[in-house]
Amino acid sequence: MMGTEDKTLFCFCHWGGKNKVLPDGSTSYVGGITDQIIVKTGIKYNDFVNAVFDRLGVDPSNKVLQFTVKFDRAQLIRLRDQEGVNTLLQFNDGFAHVYASSSEKEPNSEVAPNMATTRISTTEVEAVSLGSAEEEQVSADTPIPAPSNQWITDGTPDAAANWSELLVGEGQAFENADAFRLAVFKFSIANRFHYRILHNKPRYISIHCAADGCPWKVSAGIEKKSQNVSIRKFVDSHSHPPLDSSQLKPRIRMKWLGGIMQEDILGSPDCLPRKVCEDAEKNLAIKLTYRQAWSVKQRIREAINEKSGESYKLIPWLCNRLIEAMPGTIATWSCTEENRFKRLFVSYDCSIRGFDVGCRPLIFVDVYNLNGLHNSSFIVASALDADNEMYPLSYGILLSMNEEDLLWFLEKLKLVVQNREVIVVSGTSLPFLSSLDKMFGDENHSFCFHCVKENFNKFIDGNTAFKVQGRGKEIALKYLSDIAYARTLDSYNEALGKICSFRRELYDWVIASQPERWSNALFRKPRWDHLNCKSTDSLNSFIEEEKFVHVLELMEAYHEKLYMLLQSNKLKIEQWNLPIGPRVAEKIFENQKAGDNLAVTVLSDVEFKLQELQGREEVVNLKLWTCTCLEWQMTGIPCSHACNAITMTSMNIYQYVADWYKRETQEHIYAEVMDELAKFDIPHPDDIISSASSGNDVVLCPLSPHVKRPPGRPRKEPKGLQVETVKRPIRCSKCGGVGHNKRTKCSSVAQ
């Protein structure tokens, strides 16, 4: 025997799972537990065996050990004696793998191919055992072991066990034939065997095991009185062992698969089709294509929408309940001529009052996609409170995002703001541009700068005439931000000149994007430095959680969300230690710190000239609350120049903050908040009479929308502004001319 050199190995110890070989030749251990020990040259066989089983916490009785070598990780070698330990040490470098298994099973060194799982090297992992390849080697005289119930899970540990007992015996009844067939399918999965249907008639079904000579069979027929399907004969015994997971390849109808996987998909409705494919292969041993997985998701969502269709009848009841609980609330809906739900608008009286008495005349409008509600849209209008936090004003659900529906929503929003002139910040999608201009005037409609920046990015990435990447793209985006946040025309022109010198095409894009709608220097109405409608981003998590529910559940969830938000913000007022809110106080502190290094020249009792390090000079007038940098006028918060001047006069800086940010304003905004929604007497949908509209008759309640599912995958985001792609001109390689190639004009001239 060849002696082994002194070495130390990190030894992986595996128990309870199965070794798999991947397509690239590497191996992976699936299921069971994995732990580790350190092995050194000279260790005795008994010490090694005891160390492995002690580490795994497994009784060594009736157990065997196997190991692999570095040049063939797929071949398992029986570890019998000291020679095996020496071989393990000699033919492994750095690490080794040892596998423990029961000695009752015939060892089998073959491994099943095509199992895409990474190697597990942590201390312990949860078991998802797919059955060992060792179980295949069972002779005909060997008693058939009970099928394992741990190889399949659907979210609960007892699910597979329940499947293995779905067929009990003769006389067991099922609701219909489909329910019986599905039960047989689940039973075969849990007990790992294939079957074939011999008779599949409307009144009689006979199913046998697919293995030759196996006595297992079950037959069922329709009962005369109850019309249920009941088992007439059931022989529950097999003449063969359970199939290995690599051999078990069941076939299933898509509607059955959707029913089986419905709970998992509902638990994570945003799961990708690839995840559905993985779950189907792991839990059901079924390989799905991407198209089939997408179809399963769509079928489940359509079934959910169909079941929730009756809940649309309760929308009028819930709207009336909101109005009764808080008079002054606007809660209205409309439907199509076929009495199908079309759109909804809700604005609570407390939100309307709070906006009227304390919020700035600034409204942010944003849209979210609701993938579960017939691909409808959730549109939110919100304002800002005295501490610059989001203040929800109203919301709507629109089945389509066309101009008609948007105008309907904006008409209701106009009732909320009444005669007050407001500035609306919205996205740049095409329906918004025309609808908001009509309702609030183009001079009061500002584009969300976040959306402008996204379109700018698309323009850069989508053009082939030039390339701007990496550091160059960062510089272009910085110039765009400078253009947006420039307060004076000089600053605006300076930033515009920089982007023009950087690239003329980007300058042309900025001019064509209507900068008078989004640049601070050109937009003439106050926006208090809030250029993005993404101030409502705190709703994103709420929408992500609720975007797959139906309208009634969304209304209830939004009421609860708004109730908690208003109550929380009202309680926060008591924690204010200053006359202004924490966010505004932090902004003033930053401005004070930035103004410490400014050189001050006193012009009069109320006028001060301040010089920055770059040499730029600004003049502050404390009487008029102005600064030539325009920041104080635009935000209502003293800028760094004003903070320095106020410090020179020893005045209270909070006296120079606009009333929009004061504690008294915040108390007025949250003086009235809503109560929890009372639903104890909510009726059942079947108790509500729905009638189609005829002429001018009033519709009692709407029916669920009837929307045909469009082909292909739905859009995740609404379509924004069209980005014009600049195509590279064709150039002739022969004469160098533009507009033709050598095979057209040049070839004709040569002839």
Side-chain angles (χ1 to χ4, degrees), residues 8 14 52 205 210 257 289 346 359 376 479 503 542 627 664 666:
T8 301
H14 307 285
V52 171
I205 302 172
L257 187 60
T289 64
V346 176
C359 292
S376 54
Y479 290 160
R503 190 147 203 110
F542 165 74
C627 178
E664 295 79 7
Q666 189 82 335

PDB file of all heavy atoms in Angstrom, residues 8 14 52 205 210 257 289 346 359 376 479 503 542 627 664 666:
ATOM      1  N   THR A   8      -4.236  17.564   5.954  1.00  0.00           N
ATOM      2  CA  THR A   8      -5.468  17.816   6.701  1.00  0.00           C
ATOM      3  C   THR A   8      -6.578  18.093   5.699  1.00  0.00           C
ATOM      4  O   THR A   8      -6.411  18.905   4.780  1.00  0.00           O
ATOM      5  CB  THR A   8      -5.310  19.017   7.645  1.00  0.00           C
ATOM      6  OG1 THR A   8      -4.247  18.762   8.560  1.00  0.00           O
ATOM      7  CG2 THR A   8      -6.601  19.275   8.410  1.00  0.00           C
ATOM      8  N   HIS A  14     -22.490  13.895   4.892  1.00  0.00           N
ATOM      9  CA  HIS A  14     -23.860  13.990   4.381  1.00  0.00           C
ATOM     10  C   HIS A  14     -24.688  12.823   4.894  1.00  0.00           C
ATOM     11  O   HIS A  14     -24.206  11.690   4.995  1.00  0.00           O
ATOM     12  CB  HIS A  14     -23.867  13.978   2.848  1.00  0.00           C
ATOM     13  CG  HIS A  14     -22.973  14.992   2.219  1.00  0.00           C
ATOM     14  ND1 HIS A  14     -23.285  16.328   2.166  1.00  0.00           N
ATOM     15  CD2 HIS A  14     -21.754  14.873   1.614  1.00  0.00           C
ATOM     16  CE1 HIS A  14     -22.314  16.986   1.550  1.00  0.00           C
ATOM     17  NE2 HIS A  14     -21.375  16.124   1.211  1.00  0.00           N
ATOM     18  N   VAL A  52     -17.716  10.902  12.343  1.00  0.00           N
ATOM     19  CA  VAL A  52     -18.725  11.236  11.333  1.00  0.00           C
ATOM     20  C   VAL A  52     -20.122  11.128  11.911  1.00  0.00           C
ATOM     21  O   VAL A  52     -20.946  12.051  11.798  1.00  0.00           O
ATOM     22  CB  VAL A  52     -18.567  10.329  10.098  1.00  0.00           C
ATOM     23  CG1 VAL A  52     -19.753  10.515   9.149  1.00  0.00           C
ATOM     24  CG2 VAL A  52     -17.269  10.633   9.377  1.00  0.00           C
ATOM     25  N   ILE A 205     -65.637   4.910 -14.492  1.00  0.00           N
ATOM     26  CA  ILE A 205     -64.206   5.148 -14.684  1.00  0.00           C
ATOM     27  C   ILE A 205     -63.451   3.981 -14.066  1.00  0.00           C
ATOM     28  O   ILE A 205     -63.710   3.597 -12.917  1.00  0.00           O
ATOM     29  CB  ILE A 205     -63.755   6.463 -14.025  1.00  0.00           C
ATOM     30  CG1 ILE A 205     -64.541   7.645 -14.592  1.00  0.00           C
ATOM     31  CG2 ILE A 205     -62.267   6.692 -14.228  1.00  0.00           C
ATOM     32  CD1 ILE A 205     -64.290   8.950 -13.864  1.00  0.00           C
ATOM     33  N   ALA A 210     -49.948   1.071 -14.185  1.00  0.00           N
ATOM     34  CA  ALA A 210     -49.353   0.914 -15.509  1.00  0.00           C
ATOM     35  C   ALA A 210     -48.320  -0.201 -15.558  1.00  0.00           C
ATOM     36  O   ALA A 210     -47.958  -0.646 -16.657  1.00  0.00           O
ATOM     37  CB  ALA A 210     -48.715   2.232 -15.944  1.00  0.00           C
ATOM     38  N   LEU A 257     -53.097  21.242 -12.627  1.00  0.00           N
ATOM     39  CA  LEU A 257     -51.854  21.802 -12.121  1.00  0.00           C
ATOM     40  C   LEU A 257     -52.082  23.175 -11.504  1.00  0.00           C
ATOM     41  O   LEU A 257     -51.513  23.517 -10.472  1.00  0.00           O
ATOM     42  CB  LEU A 257     -50.839  21.900 -13.258  1.00  0.00           C
ATOM     43  CG  LEU A 257     -49.417  22.326 -12.868  1.00  0.00           C
ATOM     44  CD1 LEU A 257     -48.828  21.344 -11.881  1.00  0.00           C
ATOM     45  CD2 LEU A 257     -48.545  22.446 -14.094  1.00  0.00           C
ATOM     46  N   THR A 289     -42.562  23.924 -19.639  1.00  0.00           N
ATOM     47  CA  THR A 289     -41.896  24.948 -20.425  1.00  0.00           C
ATOM     48  C   THR A 289     -42.254  26.317 -19.852  1.00  0.00           C
ATOM     49  O   THR A 289     -43.174  26.458 -19.040  1.00  0.00           O
ATOM     50  CB  THR A 289     -42.335  24.876 -21.891  1.00  0.00           C
ATOM     51  OG1 THR A 289     -43.742  25.171 -21.983  1.00  0.00           O
ATOM     52  CG2 THR A 289     -42.061  23.500 -22.474  1.00  0.00           C
ATOM     53  N   VAL A 346     -62.535  57.722  -4.836  1.00  0.00           N
ATOM     54  CA  VAL A 346     -62.797  57.870  -3.400  1.00  0.00           C
ATOM     55  C   VAL A 346     -61.887  58.965  -2.849  1.00  0.00           C
ATOM     56  O   VAL A 346     -60.669  58.969  -3.095  1.00  0.00           O
ATOM     57  CB  VAL A 346     -62.547  56.558  -2.636  1.00  0.00           C
ATOM     58  CG1 VAL A 346     -62.730  56.779  -1.133  1.00  0.00           C
ATOM     59  CG2 VAL A 346     -63.466  55.456  -3.123  1.00  0.00           C
ATOM     60  N   CYS A 359     -52.649  72.281   3.647  1.00  0.00           N
ATOM     61  CA  CYS A 359     -51.694  71.800   2.651  1.00  0.00           C
ATOM     62  C   CYS A 359     -51.425  72.854   1.581  1.00  0.00           C
ATOM     63  O   CYS A 359     -52.315  73.638   1.227  1.00  0.00           O
ATOM     64  CB  CYS A 359     -52.200  70.519   1.988  1.00  0.00           C
ATOM     65  SG  CYS A 359     -52.266  69.095   3.092  1.00  0.00           S
ATOM     66  N   SER A 376     -56.042  46.486 -14.460  1.00  0.00           N
ATOM     67  CA  SER A 376     -56.516  47.864 -14.318  1.00  0.00           C
ATOM     68  C   SER A 376     -55.423  48.720 -13.679  1.00  0.00           C
ATOM     69  O   SER A 376     -54.312  48.262 -13.430  1.00  0.00           O
ATOM     70  CB  SER A 376     -57.792  47.893 -13.473  1.00  0.00           C
ATOM     71  OG  SER A 376     -57.587  47.230 -12.243  1.00  0.00           O
ATOM     72  N   TYR A 479     -25.692  67.052 -15.790  1.00  0.00           N
ATOM     73  CA  TYR A 479     -26.066  68.285 -16.481  1.00  0.00           C
ATOM     74  C   TYR A 479     -27.586  68.432 -16.545  1.00  0.00           C
ATOM     75  O   TYR A 479     -28.120  69.545 -16.393  1.00  0.00           O
ATOM     76  CB  TYR A 479     -25.479  68.291 -17.886  1.00  0.00           C
ATOM     77  CG  TYR A 479     -23.968  68.454 -17.937  1.00  0.00           C
ATOM     78  CD1 TYR A 479     -23.235  68.076 -19.059  1.00  0.00           C
ATOM     79  CD2 TYR A 479     -23.270  69.007 -16.864  1.00  0.00           C
ATOM     80  CE1 TYR A 479     -21.863  68.226 -19.107  1.00  0.00           C
ATOM     81  CE2 TYR A 479     -21.896  69.158 -16.905  1.00  0.00           C
ATOM     82  CZ  TYR A 479     -21.194  68.761 -18.025  1.00  0.00           C
ATOM     83  OH  TYR A 479     -19.834  68.918 -18.069  1.00  0.00           O
ATOM     84  N   ARG A 503     -22.763  67.341 -25.921  1.00  0.00           N
ATOM     85  CA  ARG A 503     -23.309  66.655 -27.098  1.00  0.00           C
ATOM     86  C   ARG A 503     -24.535  67.414 -27.578  1.00  0.00           C
ATOM     87  O   ARG A 503     -25.482  67.629 -26.833  1.00  0.00           O
ATOM     88  CB  ARG A 503     -23.659  65.210 -26.777  1.00  0.00           C
ATOM     89  CG  ARG A 503     -23.986  64.450 -28.030  1.00  0.00           C
ATOM     90  CD  ARG A 503     -23.571  62.998 -27.952  1.00  0.00           C
ATOM     91  NE  ARG A 503     -23.414  62.490 -29.299  1.00  0.00           N
ATOM     92  CZ  ARG A 503     -22.283  62.158 -29.880  1.00  0.00           C
ATOM     93  NH1 ARG A 503     -21.169  62.282 -29.215  1.00  0.00           N
ATOM     94  NH2 ARG A 503     -22.236  61.716 -31.104  1.00  0.00           N
ATOM     95  N   PHE A 542     -47.319  49.072  -0.305  1.00  0.00           N
ATOM     96  CA  PHE A 542     -48.735  48.746  -0.150  1.00  0.00           C
ATOM     97  C   PHE A 542     -49.311  48.227  -1.460  1.00  0.00           C
ATOM     98  O   PHE A 542     -50.025  47.216  -1.489  1.00  0.00           O
ATOM     99  CB  PHE A 542     -49.502  49.990   0.310  1.00  0.00           C
ATOM    100  CG  PHE A 542     -50.998  49.879   0.162  1.00  0.00           C
ATOM    101  CD1 PHE A 542     -51.732  49.093   1.024  1.00  0.00           C
ATOM    102  CD2 PHE A 542     -51.669  50.558  -0.845  1.00  0.00           C
ATOM    103  CE1 PHE A 542     -53.105  48.989   0.884  1.00  0.00           C
ATOM    104  CE2 PHE A 542     -53.032  50.461  -0.992  1.00  0.00           C
ATOM    105  CZ  PHE A 542     -53.751  49.674  -0.116  1.00  0.00           C
ATOM    106  N   CYS A 627     -33.965  86.334  -1.291  1.00  0.00           N
ATOM    107  CA  CYS A 627     -32.542  86.171  -1.554  1.00  0.00           C
ATOM    108  C   CYS A 627     -32.372  86.104  -3.061  1.00  0.00           C
ATOM    109  O   CYS A 627     -33.215  85.511  -3.764  1.00  0.00           O
ATOM    110  CB  CYS A 627     -31.991  84.907  -0.887  1.00  0.00           C
ATOM    111  SG  CYS A 627     -30.229  84.618  -1.213  1.00  0.00           S
ATOM    112  N   GLU A 664     -48.728  74.711  14.034  1.00  0.00           N
ATOM    113  CA  GLU A 664     -50.161  75.006  14.007  1.00  0.00           C
ATOM    114  C   GLU A 664     -50.807  74.498  12.717  1.00  0.00           C
ATOM    115  O   GLU A 664     -51.934  73.978  12.720  1.00  0.00           O
ATOM    116  CB  GLU A 664     -50.391  76.513  14.151  1.00  0.00           C
ATOM    117  CG  GLU A 664     -49.971  77.106  15.490  1.00  0.00           C
ATOM    118  CD  GLU A 664     -48.475  77.328  15.590  1.00  0.00           C
ATOM    119  OE1 GLU A 664     -47.789  77.138  14.555  1.00  0.00           O
ATOM    120  OE2 GLU A 664     -47.988  77.669  16.684  1.00  0.00           O
ATOM    121  N   GLN A 666     -49.772  71.937  10.902  1.00  0.00           N
ATOM    122  CA  GLN A 666     -49.850  70.474  10.983  1.00  0.00           C
ATOM    123  C   GLN A 666     -51.011  70.035  11.858  1.00  0.00           C
ATOM    124  O   GLN A 666     -51.705  69.045  11.546  1.00  0.00           O
ATOM    125  CB  GLN A 666     -48.527  69.924  11.529  1.00  0.00           C
ATOM    126  CG  GLN A 666     -48.396  68.411  11.469  1.00  0.00           C
ATOM    127  CD  GLN A 666     -47.970  67.909  10.107  1.00  0.00           C
ATOM    128  OE1 GLN A 666     -48.201  68.581   9.105  1.00  0.00           O
ATOM    129  NE2 GLN A 666     -47.367  66.740  10.065  1.00  0.00           N
TER     130      GLN A 666
END
